[in-house]
Amino acid sequence: MSGLPGASTCPGPGEASDLKSPLGAKFREPLTEARFQQLFGDAEQEPELLAEPRWSRLRRLWRRRARACSGPGPWPLLRARLPPLRWLPHYRWRAWLLGDAVAGVTVGIVHVPQGMAFALLTSVPPVFGLYTSFFPVLIYTLLGTGRHLSTGTFAVLSLMTGSAVERLVPEPLEGNLSGIEREQLDAQRVGAAAAMAFGSGALMLGMFALQLGVLATFLSEPVVKALTSGAALHVLVSQLPSLLGLPLPRQIGCFALFKTLAAVLTALPRSSPAELTVSALSLALLVPVKELNVRFRDRLPTPIPGEIVMVLLASVLCFTSSLDTRYNVQIVGLLPGGFPQPLLPSLAELPRILADSLPMALVTFAVSASLASIYADKYSYTIDSNQELFAHGVSNLISSLFSCFPNSATLATTSLLVDAGGNTQLAGLFSCMVVLSVLLWLGPLFYYLPKAVLACINISSMRQMFFQMQELPQLWRISRVDFAVWMVTWVAVVTLSVDLGLAVGVVFSMMTVVCRTQRVQCLALGLAEGTELYRPLRESHKLLQVPGLCILSYPTPLYFGTRGQFRRILEWHLGLGERGKVRDLVKGEFAEPVRVVVLDCSGVTFADAAGAREVVQLASRCRDAGIHLLLAQCNASVLGTLTQAGLLDRVTPEQLFVSVQDAAAYALERLVRRQ
């Protein structure tokens, strides 16, 4: 191996000692951290960096950053906040425009019935679902970085919003409201839903200001998938009264799913045969069309718009048969034309809805960011997670002024957009044109649309979420821990509620991470003969274990939760409670006393004050026991924490090495000299 000036050679078998060097070859001078900084470190860095006080180091880094950074001009800032300024000049009009137009119109056609259906799930009139399918889509087109992302109404958010709306603005117990009373109740519920959109948007903008896009990582993939699958079951059960024509109050709170099932079973004899027939016919059309779209995705030029076909057929059937007057079938009624006047949601409601807005903001960002990342990886482009936070925050905040409820990216329409050939955010403009035409001119066509059909659309749109359970066997094979996270989250969502289930899933997921750091194994390393590779001794009996030398790798963060485990593991390996004998991992017994221990810290990603003090105490105990402690491959953060905890009062800078190989080479030289 090529060496630095001053390279030395280990004594051979016949020289100063009979201790055989496992290397059996020349090696360069072992590099300590201080020596490495002298040779390869920053020219501005002082040799005494390891002993430099923390505040001094922070001041130096702050001054360096202040010199390197200059405030961005208005044009770069504008380009960063308005992505079309970056991608529109490079738009390939001939290759992409037709695909964006077809995909946008297809998604817009689906947005119309789906928006009205999810509005009923939110407990607001259907027209507000159309508003939520227009304004957020338009805003995200201007601010979003996900080229294939489709935003608008989302079943999980609609379910969460509807539960909160029913709790904040409950329907009077006596029922049988007059027309004016019904309008007042709807207005209050629309205001509550808009206030939740305003609150969640404000929270996301606050997270953007703090650059907290990384928070999406706390909602792991098993948590998100279990949440959406459990919420899909809630959607299915909540739509049963509408399918059967039963005027039942909506159940909210914990165990709402089981309460709804019990109420439906109790009132089943009073179900409406007409609405049951309409529901059965609608599902008989929607479900096969969904299956055809999936199975023949590659052969169809564009997915079959089963929802809009079903809406038109049901409206014609209800009008010609007078189902609303003869059989009392509930219909959508008149959709107001145009747009609502901008109105700031009541700020007095914000303290009441803040607890509901926070999980909605997290779900919005987590689902949207994960979907955007999936398609960005698939089509080889990048997204900006903080810009996504800004886009969805502005989208919810501004759309709430137009009486929209919380919105996000949606699973079904995003998949539909990709399948229909969408290429960029420009598809959102074509989608908005379709919804705009309904709001301005085509609204009266949906007057006779039965609400039972909207309930069927809600249920059929849950297909993808239900099918996520097919991944469980594979998840079981890959990771039992992730499987447990999935199941715990799903059970919590189903039995409690979507909000509490999300909280349980996040807490349980984080606890599994903490528990895995508690159960990590400290590995004793041995040298692969003829190489400089150190591998765990348990992997092979051919690895060399040098008498008197113990090389340990601790592959987990060192903090208050792992300090006790760290102490017990080191005592066991070093035999500090057994008169300083090191344990032979191959034979399972104590060998000769350990004289040098190398602690590989490459797996210690961070250390807190408690963990750093534990290392300092270990250094003291090793010194008292006559054991020479060497630390290898500490990152800068860990090394700084250890230094501030007083490590250099127990060890010298010459005991800190850049790699295990360097520390082991130094240890071998030391052992040879002591022979």
Side-chain angles (χ1 to χ4, degrees):
M1 185 174 180
S2 61
L4 296 169
S8 61
T9 308
C10 280
E15 297 181 29
S17 171
D18 59 351
L19 177 66
K20 293 183 179 180
S21 170
L23 294 177
K26 291 185 177 182
F27 55 86
R28 57 172 167 74
E29 175 188 357
L31 280 176
T32 63
E33 287 284 351
R35 178 62 174 162
F36 183 85
Q37 292 297 336
Q38 290 177 358
L39 295 174
F40 306 107
D42 192 346
E44 299 180 5
Q45 222 165 8
E46 298 294 334
E48 297 83 7
L49 177 63
L50 296 177
E52 183 182 2
R54 175 174 293 184
W55 287 112
S56 175
R57 186 164 66 253
L58 289 176
R59 284 197 302 269
R60 178 175 51 78
L61 293 175
W62 175 261
R63 289 170 182 168
R64 184 183 302 173
R65 175 169 292 187
R67 290 195 303 265
C69 297
S70 59
W75 179 245
L77 184 62
L78 193 62
R79 281 170 53 87
R81 296 294 161 254
L82 289 176
L85 295 179
R86 300 197 303 268
W87 59 262
L88 198 57
H90 306 285
Y91 189 83
R92 296 159 58 183
W93 294 95
R94 292 185 178 181
W96 291 349
L97 183 59
L98 181 59
D100 282 340
V102 172
V105 171
T106 303
V107 171
I109 290 173
V110 173
H111 267 317
V112 173
Q114 189 170 279
M116 292 190 290
F118 288 164
L120 296 183
L121 195 60
T122 315
S123 299
V124 297
V127 69
F128 294 95
L130 296 180
Y131 300 151
T132 311
S133 299
F134 176 79
F135 290 104
V137 177
L138 182 61
I139 295 170
Y140 184 82
T141 300
L142 300 176
L143 301 178
T145 59
R147 286 168 42 186
H148 298 85
L149 211 61
S150 174
T151 59
T153 55
F154 182 40
V156 176
L157 281 179
S158 296
L159 181 68
M160 297 171 68
T161 306
S163 299
V165 166
E166 293 278 352
R167 188 185 72 252
L168 295 172
V169 189
E171 189 166 346
L173 297 177
E174 60 272 11
N176 297 325
L177 300 178
S178 64
I180 297 178
E181 292 174 335
R182 172 59 64 182
E183 290 180 1
Q184 293 175 347
L185 179 66
D186 287 342
Q188 293 177 4
R189 289 184 168 180
V190 168
M196 275 181 275
F198 186 91
S200 62
L203 286 172
M204 282 187 279
L205 286 179
M207 292 163 62
F208 163 74
L210 298 174
Q211 298 292 288
L212 295 180
V214 70
L215 285 180
T217 58
F218 289 103
L219 289 178
S220 62
E221 182 178 336
V223 170
V224 173
K225 289 189 174 182
L227 174 73
T228 53
S229 296
L233 191 58
H234 275 280
V235 172
L236 171 62
V237 173
S238 68
Q239 297 303 293
L240 289 179
S242 298
L243 291 178
L244 302 173
L246 297 173
L248 298 177
R250 184 169 180 170
Q251 303 291 334
I252 58 175
C254 295
F255 311 108
L257 185 144
F258 304 103
K259 294 176 184 177
T260 303
L261 280 176
V264 169
L265 292 176
T266 303
L268 195 58
R270 295 185 279 113
S271 59
S272 169
E275 298 212 38
L276 183 59
T277 303
V278 171
S279 301
L281 293 175
S282 300
L283 289 175
L285 175 65
L286 289 173
V287 173
V289 169
K290 290 276 187 182
E291 194 64 28
L292 287 174
N293 284 336
V294 172
R295 292 199 175 188
F296 299 99
R297 175 182 305 176
D298 299 330
R299 301 182 185 180
L300 293 173
T302 183
I304 303 172
E307 289 88 350
I308 198 66
V309 172
M310 187 67 250
V311 164
L312 295 176
L313 289 177
S315 299
V316 172
L317 177 64
C318 184
F319 173 73
T320 55
S321 303
S322 302
L323 296 180
D324 56 325
T325 56
R326 294 173 59 184
Y327 301 102
N328 199 28
V329 172
Q330 297 296 312
I331 60 174
V332 169
L334 181 64
L335 294 178
F339 297 109
Q341 291 185 348
L343 180 65
L344 184 68
S346 175
L347 298 181
E349 296 289 335
L350 290 181
R352 299 174 61 196
I353 56 89
L354 189 60
D356 298 297
S357 298
L358 180 59
M360 291 180 192
L362 293 177
V363 171
T364 296
F365 180 53
V367 172
S368 302
S370 60
L371 269 178
S373 298
I374 289 172
Y375 287 101
D377 294 341
K378 183 177 180 179
Y379 292 98
S380 303
Y381 62 91
T382 59
I383 64 166
D384 184 347
S385 58
N386 283 303
Q387 178 64 20
E388 287 294 297
L389 201 52
F390 176 74
H392 290 287
V394 172
S395 175
N396 277 271
L397 191 70
I398 294 181
S399 63
S400 69
L401 306 180
F402 295 91
S403 303
C404 297
F405 48 85
N407 55 85
S408 73
T410 64
L411 302 175
T413 55
T414 297
S415 177
L416 183 65
L417 179 72
V418 174
D419 293 340
N423 298 292
T424 67
Q425 298 94 316
L426 196 62
L429 293 181
F430 293 98
S431 174
C432 290
M433 293 178 186
V434 175
V435 179
L436 180 64
S437 64
V438 174
L439 287 171
L440 296 181
W441 304 296
L442 304 179
L445 296 179
F446 302 98
Y447 183 93
Y448 289 99
L449 175 62
K451 290 185 178 180
V453 175
L454 297 180
C456 294
I457 292 174
N458 277 333
I459 293 174
S460 65
S461 64
M462 298 295 104
R463 179 187 180 280
Q464 279 182 301
M465 299 185 189
F466 282 126
F467 279 19
Q468 289 179 143
M469 300 187 74
Q470 293 179 339
E471 302 175 6
L472 285 179
Q474 182 184 13
L475 190 61
W476 171 266
R477 292 190 297 269
I478 295 174
S479 172
R480 306 289 173 86
V481 175
D482 285 346
F483 180 86
V485 170
W486 202 104
M487 291 303 302
V488 168
T489 306
W490 187 85
V491 171
V493 169
V494 170
T495 56
L496 300 177
S497 64
V498 177
D499 298 356
L500 291 177
L502 173 63
V504 169
V506 171
V507 171
F508 184 77
S509 177
M510 298 303 297
M511 287 301 299
T512 60
V513 176
V514 174
C515 290
R516 277 184 275 191
T517 63
Q518 298 287 325
R519 301 181 61 181
V520 72
Q521 292 184 346
C522 184
L523 303 174
L525 305 181
L527 180 66
E529 190 172 6
T531 73
E532 291 186 358
L533 300 178
Y534 287 85
R535 303 291 297 173
L537 288 172
R538 294 179 179 178
E539 291 185 2
S540 174
H541 293 288
K542 298 181 180 180
L543 298 176
L544 300 179
Q545 185 178 16
V546 180
L549 173 62
C550 181
I551 304 176
L552 299 175
S553 176
Y554 189 73
T556 191
L558 188 55
Y559 63 104
F560 66 92
T562 58
R563 61 174 297 187
Q565 178 201 44
F566 175 79
R567 184 192 312 119
R568 289 190 299 271
I569 288 177
L570 267 294
E571 287 178 350
W572 188 87
H573 278 283
L574 300 181
L576 291 177
E578 302 287 342
R579 298 181 182 179
K581 292 183 178 181
V582 64
R583 190 178 294 268
D584 190 329
L585 276 248
V586 178
K587 299 179 180 179
E589 58 187 18
F590 287 104
E592 71 172 65
V594 61
R595 287 176 284 175
V596 182
V597 57
V598 176
L599 184 58
D600 177 14
C601 300
S602 59
V604 182
T605 54
F606 70 89
D608 67 355
R613 283 194 292 268
E614 195 63 45
V615 176
V616 174
Q617 292 175 12
L618 172 68
S620 298
R621 296 182 65 186
C622 287
R623 185 178 61 183
D624 296 340
I627 300 175
H628 197 63
L629 174 65
L630 307 177
L631 299 182
Q633 214 163 332
C634 295
N635 65 47
S637 173
V638 173
L639 198 55
T641 304
L642 295 178
T643 302
Q644 294 300 319
L647 179 66
L648 294 182
D649 296 334
R650 307 294 192 277
V651 301
T652 64
E654 285 71 26
Q655 292 174 253
L656 308 177
F657 290 86
V658 296
S659 70
V660 175
Q661 288 80 5
D662 288 283
Y666 173 82
L668 289 172
E669 286 187 3
R670 184 180 180 87
L671 290 174
V672 168
R673 287 196 301 266
R674 293 182 61 178
Q675 284 284 339

